[in-house]
Structure formats: structure tokens, C-alpha cells
Amino acid sequence: MELTSILIIILVIMGIALAFSIGANDETLSALVGANITKFKIALIIGGIATGAGMIFLSKEVAKTVGENILGEGINYTDFMLLAVLISSIIWLIIGSFAGIPLSSTHSTIGSIFGVLIVYSLSQGGVNPSTVLNYEKLSSLVISWFLSPLFGFLFTYLFFKILSKFFLSHLKGMNQIEKSERNFSWLLLISVIFAEVWVGANSAECIGLFWGLKDKGSLTIEDYYFFVVICGIFVFLGIFTAGRYVIKNLASQMTDARPSEGFIIQISSSIILMVCTLLSLPISHSHVIVFCILGLNAGQKREIDYRGLGKMAIYWVLTFFIAGILGGMIYMGFLSVSLI
Amino acid sequence: MPKKELKKMKIDEITQYFMNKTTKQNMKIIRAIDYLIIENFEEFEKDLKYVIENKKEEEIKRAFESKIWKSKMMFSKADRVLVFNRINKIRDLGEILARKMLLYRVVFPDEQFKNDIKEILELLKTVLLDLASAVKSIGKDLEHSYEVSQKIKNEHLKLRNKAWELLSNLYNYEMDFLSRTFLYLKDLIEGIVFLADEAENFAGYLQFLATKYLIFE
């Protein structure tokens, strides 16, 4: 078997594994499980199907951004580039997990692509680093990473303020509140399904790889759709088999959370995700959700841990550059052992 | 109330019914001490025996437990169990006080002591009646429950100060340190204070519930 075929097989397996890990790390369902709205297994099945469906039917434009549009005119991925991108983002995410730092796989992937392409341009004669990437697309992407959490914050803050002014603050007794929260729990169910669909749709780091393989001619369009469906199935399996532990753990800390609060956070974050997905922008769901929670806290005049937030922001910014350096170094390693 | 009717009640209604029963029991204790002051031992014992022998609370507890586990409440279930348990704690403390009081027929040392005890009892009565009102309001008006709980805390403070004063007077009486009268009166004052302390704790919990549930503009 040729080296290229072996590489493609490795990339496909890694892409599918990435889809599985997206499901395994998805914590969106914890709000639903914490509120005890449905049975645990049913919640997993509903969430898994929604994420899988989002990935299968709605991820194409975001995948196109990562797999094609981010590249400069006339530039295509090579198998080693894709491999370097995957290895570097996986290494950085593993380091982040061991260090207990929540990192974005999207930022990590795009950072790695940036690093790999810069090294590629420097190593190839005639390829200018200023044209190797579509900097217009890249800058709109980076801007969206800053704007999406901010919009998440503002949207949640305003949504809470409006809901509280016209409805929540008028509830006076436990009976009334219980009844209202019971109704909100159904809205939470709908909003979580909605959120899961857009989480699946915005999971660019996985589907983008397959688009990249299709764009360079290693996969046909039929192959691409076949693997997207496989990824959708593996996202479901990831949630159902491994994600359940993350979800259960987080849900056990959320038993006191109000379904109305969960609904406000989920609907706000999913709207941001939806808008970004429709604009073909892969963003970090976890960043958006953290800022949505902060927006709710600000609305409720709760204390905000600015120190922890600052620390998190530093890692968010660093992710792009560290993943870039890592990606570049790995690609350089491939070059130096003359595999390319 | 017959068992059948108890089973038909909603969780909120059972809680209120239990609170009413507990308040009634504690009012009987206060009345019993009033009888003790005027040395009407027959009525005193009658009231305290009512407290000890009334076993209705077991039925109420069972009805509440069976309702709460089957309940579809998803948000306030745990808090309702805690409210019910706190009422039960008040009831238990009342029963302990009643049992201790039945151990001996005391005669108060003088009129001043009687008046001071009466004053404490008035404060305890206010605290317990306000607590009943605060518990009744949690279903419909948590803001009211919060305000009444604040009043309970203020009344409790007055009761505490008065009780310290009374205890200090008790220690300064010319009587044998180990006499039954001294021990009985000391236990009586402490029993009243424990009951008031528990009511104050309960009021604090009700204020916590109000801040947890209410959303202000």
C-alpha cells in the first residue's frame, strides 16, 4: 500500500476519533440532566441525535471555511499538513486537559493550520507567507472569536433583564415559581436540543479535515458525505458512551440551578452559535457559554471571578499562538525527516 | 382529621396543617406554663399531656413522605422536605420541653420571677405565631415570609436578652444550688430559649429560601 493511502486512512481514522471526542466532551446536556427533566439515557439519546444531525446536515459551510476558504489562492492542504494540524491540536488539548485549563479545540485547530501554512510557505520556494492564507477570512474568524463571547454576554444579560422585568420578578411564592420553572424545563429541553444541533453544525475541526481531503482530491464528494454521516454517528456514540460521565458529573453540581436560568443560557449561546455557523465561522462553544453564564451573573448582580476570567482569557489567546508554533514545528519535523 | 382526608391534601396543605398542629401544641405549652405560674397543676398537666400523647404527627409525616416522593416537583422538592423537617424539629423540642416540665410541680420563687417568665412567654408566643405565618406564606408570598422572618429574629433577640437576665436573677436567689426548684426553673428557661432559637434558625432558613427563589428587577 502506498504511503499516501496509509496517510489518508490515518487521517480518516483521526477525523472520526475527533468526532467521537467532540461528543465525549460535550457538556451541553448537563443542564437538562441536572434539571431532571428526562431520564438520563433519554437525554443522552436526544442530545446525541441532535448533535449528530447538526453535524450531518448543517456543518458544510463551516467545514468549507476550515477545509478550503481559510487557505490562500491556489493553496491546497497536503496529507502531512492535515496530519500536523491534527497532531498539534490534539497535543495542545491534551496538555490543556492535564493542566486543568479549558481550551478551545476550534482555536487550537485554526492556530495549527496557521502555523503549518506559514512553515509550508517558508519551506517552499515561490510561496509567499502573505498569500498562503486567506487573511481576510482568518481575521473575520479571529474577530468572531472575540465578538461571539461578548455578544453571548450581552444577549444573556439583556434576555435575563427583560424576562425578569416582565415575568420572573412577578412570581411571588414557591408554588408559582415551581409551576413556572416546570414550564421552563420544557423550554430548556427545546433549547438544549437547539443548542446541540448548532454545536454539531459548528464542529469545524472535525468535518473541516474531510473537506480538506475532498478539496485536495483524496476524497470524492460522495466519500465526504459518507464520512460526515459516520462522524455524526460517532458524535452520538461519543456522547452516549463517554460524554455521559462528564454530563453526570456536571449535572450533579447543577441540581439547584433553575431551569429558567438554563434556558436563558442555552438559548443565548445557541443563537450565537447558529448565527456564526450561518456566517461560516467556526467559534468556540465553551467560550460563548462561559460568557453567557457571566452575562446571567451580571444580570443577577452576582459576584464575578475576574481573576479566574483573566487567567482563562490569557489561555484563550495563547491557544492560537501555541497551537500555531506546535503545528509549525511538527510540520517542520515531517520536512526534516524528508517524508515530504 | 381522618386519614383519608389527609391523603387528599396537597404537599403545601399538609405542610401548613403540620405547622398549625405544631403551633397549637406550642401554644398549649405556653398556656401550661401560665397555669403553672398560678399553680393550677391540674390544667397544667392536662395541657402538657395533650402535647405528649397527641400522636397525630406520625400520620401527617407518613402522608407527607408518600406525597413528596411521588410528586412531580422538580425544583422545590428538596427545600419542601427541609421545611417539613424543620417544623418537625420545633415539634420535637416542644415535646421534650413538655416532658421535662411534667417531671416536677414547681412553685415560682416570687412575683417578679413570675412576671419575667410571663414576659418571656409573650415573646415566645409572638415568635411562634409569626413563624407559623411565615411558613404559611412560602407558597404564595415569599417576600412576606422574608419580612416576618426578620421580625422573628428581632423578637428572638429580645427574648434571649430577657432570658439571660432571668437566669442571672435565678442564680442570685437565696436557695440551695442543687434544689429541684432551681434545676427545674433553669431547665424551663433554657427549654424556652432552645425553642425560640430553633424558631429563629427556621426563620433564617426561610429568608434563605426567599433570596434563593425570588428574582428582583
Side-chain angles (χ1 to χ4, degrees):
Chain A
M1 196 184 275
E2 276 180 45
L3 180 66
T4 317
S5 309
I6 295 169
L7 278 174
I8 290 168
I9 291 168
I10 291 171
L11 284 168
V12 165
I13 292 170
M14 284 177 92
I16 292 169
L18 209 55
F20 183 85
S21 72
I22 289 169
N25 283 295
D26 182 26
E27 77 284 6
T28 316
L29 285 172
S30 47
L32 194 63
V33 177
N36 209 11
I37 296 163
T38 58
K39 284 183 180 169
F40 184 50
K41 272 189 183 171
I42 292 175
L44 292 176
I45 291 170
I46 292 173
I49 291 173
T51 318
M55 194 174 261
I56 293 167
F57 299 110
L58 297 163
S59 68
K60 191 179 162 191
E61 290 308 311
V62 173
K64 211 172 169 181
T65 298
V66 178
E68 184 184 340
N69 293 347
I70 200 172
L71 304 179
E73 194 75 34
I75 305 289
N76 278 324
Y77 286 112
T78 64
D79 295 330
F80 279 104
M81 276 184 196
L82 289 171
L83 197 60
V85 166
L86 276 177
I87 293 171
S88 117
S89 53
I90 287 168
I91 289 175
W92 178 232
L93 288 175
I94 289 172
I95 292 171
S97 298
F98 276 112
I101 311 158
L103 299 176
S104 158
S105 53
T106 309
H107 293 197
S108 187
T109 307
I110 304 292
S112 304
I113 293 172
F114 177 79
V116 166
L117 282 162
I118 293 296
V119 172
Y120 167 77
S121 67
L122 295 173
S123 65
Q124 304 286 315
V127 182
N128 193 335
S130 63
T131 54
V132 75
L133 279 150
N134 179 349
Y135 285 99
E136 203 181 310
K137 190 76 194 173
L138 185 66
S139 50
S140 64
L141 244 177
V142 174
I143 290 168
S144 76
W145 291 347
F146 285 100
L147 288 183
S148 57
L150 286 177
F151 275 114
F153 179 94
L154 280 175
F155 195 89
T156 314
Y157 179 84
L158 291 173
F159 190 27
F160 172 75
K161 283 288 177 193
I162 292 166
L163 203 62
S164 125
K165 188 171 176 62
F166 294 105
F167 180 65
L168 294 174
S169 65
H170 297 282
L171 304 172
K172 295 291 175 204
M174 262 166 101
N175 295 343
Q176 232 182 347
I177 294 165
E178 170 73 41
K179 201 175 163 192
S180 143
E181 291 300 332
R182 206 177 305 160
N183 295 334
F184 267 113
S185 65
W186 294 111
L187 288 174
L188 176 65
L189 174 69
I190 295 165
S191 65
V192 165
I193 294 171
F194 187 61
E196 285 287 34
V197 168
W198 294 107
V199 165
N202 204 280
S203 299
E205 61 273 27
C206 161
I207 304 296
L209 163 78
F210 291 101
W211 189 274
L213 285 170
K214 182 210 79 77
D215 193 46
K216 71 186 261 311
S218 299
L219 294 178
T220 62
I221 187 78
E222 289 80 16
D223 292 337
Y224 166 78
Y225 283 119
F226 172 75
F227 286 119
V228 168
V229 172
I230 296 290
C231 283
I233 293 167
F234 270 81
V235 156
F236 171 85
L237 291 174
I239 289 177
F240 198 78
T241 57
R244 57 167 62 210
Y245 302 107
V246 179
I247 293 163
K248 217 174 202 174
N249 187 22
L250 282 173
S252 65
Q253 297 164 25
M254 285 184 174
T255 47
D256 264 358
R258 292 172 87 124
S260 57
E261 291 174 349
F263 166 70
I264 292 169
I265 291 169
Q266 292 298 339
I267 206 75
S268 307
S269 69
S270 54
I271 285 172
I272 302 290
L273 265 180
M274 180 186 79
V275 170
C276 287
T277 309
L278 295 176
L279 291 171
S280 324
L281 298 169
I283 56 161
S284 164
H285 179 227
S286 45
H287 291 190
V288 175
I289 216 148
V290 165
F291 270 78
C292 287
I293 293 168
L294 288 175
L296 184 74
N297 284 350
Q300 292 174 332
K301 292 178 184 146
R302 282 190 201 159
E303 213 174 303
I304 292 171
D305 177 12
Y306 288 105
R307 215 173 152 188
L309 191 66
K311 203 173 151 189
M312 215 183 266
I314 291 169
Y315 287 119
W316 288 356
V317 175
L318 282 180
T319 291
F320 181 83
F321 296 105
I322 294 178
I325 293 166
L326 209 58
M329 280 165 63
I330 293 166
Y331 188 66
M332 216 185 286
F334 286 146
L335 288 174
S336 63
V337 292
S338 304
L339 281 168
I340 307 164
Chain B
M1 181 179 285
K3 262 189 192 177
K4 270 187 183 174
E5 275 192 44
L6 203 56
K7 278 185 182 171
K8 279 182 200 165
M9 281 179 158
K10 291 176 182 165
I11 289 169
D12 215 28
E13 290 168 340
I14 299 176
T15 308
Q16 280 180 28
Y17 180 61
F18 191 38
M19 189 68 225
N20 288 344
K21 283 292 244 180
T22 305
T23 310
K24 192 179 168 191
Q25 166 207 283
N26 291 332
M27 290 304 121
K28 289 255 181 203
I29 294 171
I30 292 171
R31 200 171 71 172
I33 303 171
D34 279 334
Y35 282 129
L36 188 65
I37 292 169
I38 56 168
E39 289 165 30
N40 182 346
F41 298 112
E42 231 174 84
E43 289 298 323
F44 163 74
E45 281 181 9
K46 205 171 123 190
D47 274 348
L48 291 184
K49 276 180 182 159
Y50 168 87
V51 172
I52 293 162
E53 286 160 11
N54 189 354
K55 290 293 169 198
K56 188 79 184 167
E57 83 278 357
E58 287 306 321
E59 277 174 31
I60 304 172
K61 274 187 220 170
R62 272 196 293 274
F64 179 82
E65 278 162 12
S66 72
K67 284 267 173 184
I68 199 88
W69 297 124
K70 285 176 204 162
S71 152
K72 283 184 181 170
M73 273 178 193
M74 49 175 57
F75 185 55
S76 62
K77 201 183 223 179
D79 289 324
R80 284 172 194 270
V81 172
L82 279 175
V83 167
F84 193 86
N85 288 345
R86 291 218 171 221
I87 299 171
N88 194 39
K89 185 88 188 284
I90 297 267
R91 205 209 67 81
D92 284 348
L93 280 176
E95 193 188 321
I96 291 167
L97 180 61
R99 284 185 188 278
K100 274 189 178 174
M101 284 165 65
L102 273 173
L103 294 174
Y104 181 60
R105 285 181 173 188
V106 81
V107 173
F108 287 85
D110 57 23
E111 283 306 309
Q112 180 58 45
F113 199 92
K114 284 180 184 175
N115 289 336
D116 287 345
I117 280 280
K118 272 184 191 171
E119 211 177 306
I120 290 180
L121 287 178
E122 267 313 304
L123 287 167
L124 180 67
K125 198 172 174 180
T126 313
V127 164
L128 293 172
L129 288 173
D130 280 346
L131 184 67
S133 157
V135 171
K136 268 183 199 170
S137 308
I138 59 168
K140 285 177 184 160
D141 191 352
L142 278 164
E143 242 175 277
H144 178 254
S145 181
Y146 186 95
E147 281 158 18
V148 175
S149 296
Q150 194 53 48
K151 199 178 148 211
I152 292 170
K153 285 183 163 184
N154 298 338
E155 294 295 319
H156 167 261
L157 196 66
K158 284 186 208 164
L159 187 147
R160 261 276 187 193
N161 290 335
K162 194 74 203 160
W164 283 122
E165 214 178 284
L166 196 57
L167 263 181
S168 156
N169 292 344
L170 184 65
Y171 274 92
N172 290 310
Y173 273 116
E174 290 296 322
M175 62 168 85
D176 177 6
F177 187 71
L178 283 174
S179 78
R180 278 176 290 183
T181 303
F182 174 84
L183 287 176
Y184 186 94
L185 291 174
K186 184 176 166 285
D187 276 355
L188 177 65
I189 297 165
E190 284 174 354
I192 291 170
V193 169
F194 283 154
L195 200 54
D197 281 353
E198 190 55 36
E200 194 251 357
N201 270 338
F202 197 171
Y205 179 67
L206 293 177
Q207 286 191 319
F208 159 76
L209 283 186
T211 47
K212 178 181 166 187
Y213 282 84
L214 289 177
I215 289 173
F216 302 97
E217 262 184 58

